[in-house]
Amino acid sequence: MIQITKICCIGAGYVGGPTMAMIAKKCPHIKVTVVDLNEQRIAAWNDPDVENIPVYEPGLSDVVAEARGRNLFFSTDVESAIDDAQMIFISVNTPTKTYGAGKGQAADLKWIELCARQIARVAKDNKIIVEKSTLPVRTASAIKDILIHTGNGSQFQILSNPEFLAEGTAVEDLDAPDRVLIGGDSTVEGQAAIQALVDVYANWIPRERILTTNVWSSELSKLTANAFLAQRVSSINSLTELCEKTEADINEVAKAIGTDSRIGPKFLKASVGFGGSCFQKDILNLVYIARSYGLQEVADYWEQVIIMNDHQKKRFANQMIKELYNTVNGKKISFLGWAFKKDTNDTRESAAIYVADHLLHEQANIAVYDPKVSADQIYFDLDYLATRSSEENKKGVKIISDPYEACKGAHAIAVLTEWDEFKTYDWKKIYDSMLKPAKIFDGRNLLNADELRSIGFLVQTIGTKA
Ligand code: UDX
Ligand code: ADP
């Protein structure tokens, strides 16, 4: 039996940080060290003021405050942490490739491979390696190859333990997950490694919620879970367009179908499109894998979920342009929200980025307010698209830290993230400060359209006839 007392996690991002903080909180007997190459990020995790940690998640700062310095440590010394640990989680980023074969679809495993090589170089004894990042099926075998062939004779067991936490609810999801999935080899050593990780989670999670499978099932389950969730969002979003043409109301449709217990009420919220680091990337991965096995119909089937999502973002932006008399040139458009969903400062693949890009093509002036996203991040996201120069992005987009200021003098407001605080604003005051006719495009179905109309706004809510 392997008793784990020392864990290391490579990657202190949205997955590694919260997950390790929770393990440390729940397992005071385990020393958990989170390492990252990014010095700034580690410094932020170590900031004496726990409110300054780099990942915003409700409740996370309390978890970190409890465990940090006791059995939770953040460091840039990757090698010592690897050397010291019995179990190493790999939680590094695996973005979609932006070059070469599989460009735009396959996951870039550069960082994963670097990690594997580093572990192989540094490890002096046997280690259990846990894949935490979302990885395409069969990554474990690549990691294994590197470890076995470049290592110094140490034994490695590779486990797949995909993350199912959703950002914005990470602490809740980690505290009481629907399930924990652990995939490993069927050999005696593989089963012992699985058991060691099961024992870690069993410190707070009922054993019947800890599922064990082979490595490939575990890896594929992660992609599939996200593909199914994203498919629900694209399915409901596909109907918004139909609802906007007819008298049907998407909220009523969602409620009506969601009460069928076979369908269920969750993930039926119409929106300007899903974002986040997982959905698009995981589906693209699924599509890429299917195509690489020659399974065209399977690939096309899942690709449609992405096509629908891209259509929704573009459609939203085009609708704004149309309603603003087919020109937004020089007009001030205010964005409420930039994050890909509420309660997170993560902006990866956020619909706001694409809506902004589209409006900038039409020479709009955009003013952005988001309660948690920094100005640097917003410019980074726009520059990352590489559709125009950094100077042009700075010229076209202003980041404003007060929502009333952001909306003042605007022709229109676009609601792009479902932050709760937007519902509490003094909308009369906002209306009075805007150019008339004052228009609101609610891409999140968040605000009370009737109330806004009674103030004088012209409102277009996604999925209802204007
Ligand atoms: C997702 C999975 O939920 C999680 O299990 C996995 O580990 C990582 O990927 P996350 O990306 O953090 O989590 O957020 P999620 O809540 O799934 O939302 C994804 C996107 O879909 C967001 O942009 C959200 O606004 C959008 N969405 C979600 C909708 O538009 N409508 C819905 O009904 C639900
Ligand atoms: P996720 O949402 O998967 O957690 P993030 O991008 O938030 O993704 O976090 C991944 C982290 O992994 C980043 O902070 C990055 O600096 C770190 N990282 C990437 N490669 C390595 C490496 N070889 N060693 C240490 N840290 C790494």
Side-chain angles (χ1 to χ4, degrees):
M1 204 176 93
I2 313 163
Q3 179 87 43
I4 300 294
T5 54
K6 284 181 280 183
I7 287 177
C8 146
C9 172
I10 308 180
Y14 284 91
V15 171
T19 308
M20 292 304 124
M22 185 59 75
I23 292 180
K25 175 187 153 97
K26 300 288 188 181
C27 314
H29 58 286
I30 300 179
K31 178 184 173 195
V32 180
T33 307
V34 191
V35 292
D36 202 298
L37 298 171
N38 183 333
E39 289 177 12
Q40 229 182 332
R41 210 164 209 189
I42 289 298
W45 280 109
N46 282 323
D47 196 303
D49 180 354
V50 82
E51 296 306 326
N52 292 337
I53 54 175
V55 169
Y56 174 72
E57 278 290 342
L60 181 61
S61 55
D62 292 341
V63 178
V64 171
E66 182 182 333
R68 197 175 60 181
R70 178 188 72 189
N71 63 325
L72 174 65
F73 304 93
F74 294 92
S75 159
T76 49
D77 188 351
V78 181
E79 301 209 343
S80 309
I82 291 173
D83 182 28
D84 192 39
Q86 299 154 287
M87 183 176 265
I88 301 164
F89 285 76
I90 302 186
S91 258
V92 303
N93 34 342
T94 51
T96 304
K97 276 185 83 175
T98 52
Y99 55 89
K103 178 178 168 180
Q105 289 197 331
D108 194 337
L109 297 182
K110 193 169 82 179
W111 288 275
I112 295 283
E113 186 173 332
L114 273 173
C115 279
R117 291 191 186 280
Q118 199 161 21
I119 295 169
R121 201 174 59 240
V122 173
K124 296 195 206 66
D125 53 7
N126 300 346
K127 310 270 185 212
I128 299 171
I129 314 297
V130 185
E131 293 179 356
K132 198 72 189 158
S133 318
T134 303
L135 298 168
V137 181
R138 298 226 159 243
T139 302
S141 76
I143 298 180
K144 201 177 205 165
D145 257 13
I146 294 169
L147 289 175
I148 291 169
H149 293 111
T150 54
N152 54 6
S154 306
Q155 298 291 309
F156 297 102
Q157 281 301 319
I158 323 288
L159 301 179
S160 158
N161 172 217
E163 190 47 74
F164 292 110
L165 68 82
E167 290 174 35
T169 53
V171 172
E172 274 168 60
D173 296 343
L174 287 164
D175 188 41
D178 287 346
R179 72 342 200 153
V180 167
L181 183 57
I182 302 171
D185 281 352
S186 57
T187 57
V188 174
E189 296 81 11
Q191 292 298 305
I194 290 180
Q195 196 52 46
L197 185 54
V198 168
D199 290 342
V200 171
Y201 284 114
N203 280 294
W204 79 98
I205 294 162
R207 282 191 188 252
E208 63 275 14
R209 290 210 197 155
I210 307 175
L211 311 181
T212 60
T213 63
N214 74 37
V215 177
W216 318 127
S217 304
S218 170
E219 288 181 332
L220 186 59
S221 300
K222 163 74 178 176
L223 297 188
T224 315
N226 280 338
F228 268 62
L229 290 169
Q231 184 190 40
R232 277 178 77 93
V233 178
S234 272
S235 296
I236 201 78
N237 280 348
S238 74
L239 298 173
T240 56
E241 201 170 5
L242 192 58
C243 287
E244 286 163 25
K245 298 275 180 224
T246 64
E247 299 291 327
D249 175 323
I250 199 69
N251 288 322
E252 292 177 352
V253 174
K255 191 164 177 206
I257 63 172
T259 48
D260 183 326
S261 63
R262 293 166 303 175
I263 298 175
K266 295 182 183 164
F267 264 70
L268 289 178
K269 189 100 189 116
S271 67
V272 54
F274 60 73
S277 66
C278 286
F279 281 5
Q280 169 151 321
K281 187 183 76 179
D282 289 357
I283 295 175
L284 287 173
N285 249 305
L286 198 58
V287 169
Y288 183 73
I289 293 163
R291 271 208 222 293
S292 67
Y293 285 104
L295 310 176
Q296 299 304 346
E297 289 79 4
V298 179
D300 290 347
Y301 178 77
W302 287 106
E303 193 166 26
Q304 194 59 37
V305 174
I306 301 283
I307 293 172
M308 188 62 230
N309 197 48
D310 288 339
H311 171 66
Q312 187 77 340
K313 292 181 274 189
K314 208 176 284 158
R315 188 174 82 77
F316 183 82
N318 281 333
Q319 204 172 25
M320 288 183 72
I321 296 165
K322 184 170 149 252
E323 294 293 330
L324 291 166
Y325 318 107
N326 286 318
T327 174
V328 288
N329 188 329
K331 290 184 179 170
K332 176 172 174 178
I333 315 276
S334 305
F335 276 27
L336 292 181
W338 189 265
F340 82 96
K341 62 188 279 199
K342 73 171 176 178
D343 290 341
T344 178
N345 59 345
D346 194 351
T347 63
R348 285 175 287 181
E349 292 301 329
S350 180
I353 303 170
Y354 297 93
V355 175
D357 185 51
H358 202 74
L359 295 176
L360 286 171
H361 275 305
E362 298 290 328
Q363 321 242 313
N365 291 326
I366 299 176
V368 182
Y369 166 77
D370 186 287
K372 291 288 175 196
V373 178
S374 69
D376 285 352
Q377 184 63 49
I378 294 171
Y379 289 125
F380 174 87
D381 292 336
L382 288 167
D383 292 350
Y384 192 76
L385 292 177
T387 40
R388 66 186 65 71
S389 72
S390 193
E391 290 67 42
E392 285 172 299
N393 283 328
K394 286 235 157 56
K395 201 166 146 253
V397 180
K398 299 279 173 265
I399 321 299
I400 296 172
S401 58
D402 174 74
Y404 295 95
E405 206 48 49
C407 296
K408 197 185 269 174
H411 289 253
I413 293 173
V415 179
L416 293 161
T417 311
E418 71 280 27
W419 286 104
D420 289 325
E421 65 168 62
F422 300 163
K423 290 186 277 192
T424 67
Y425 288 174
D426 180 346
W427 283 100
K428 174 80 175 77
K429 181 173 159 190
I430 292 176
Y431 177 80
D432 289 341
S433 76
M434 287 175 67
L435 285 178
K436 309 295 179 312
K439 302 196 171 182
I440 295 194
F441 297 86
D442 186 353
R444 287 293 181 164
N445 227 317
L446 179 79
L447 303 173
N448 184 327
D450 289 339
E451 251 175 59
L452 294 173
R453 284 192 187 105
S454 72
I455 293 173
F457 281 107
L458 296 179
V459 186
Q460 170 65 64
T461 299
I462 201 125
T464 48
K465 208 169 178 178

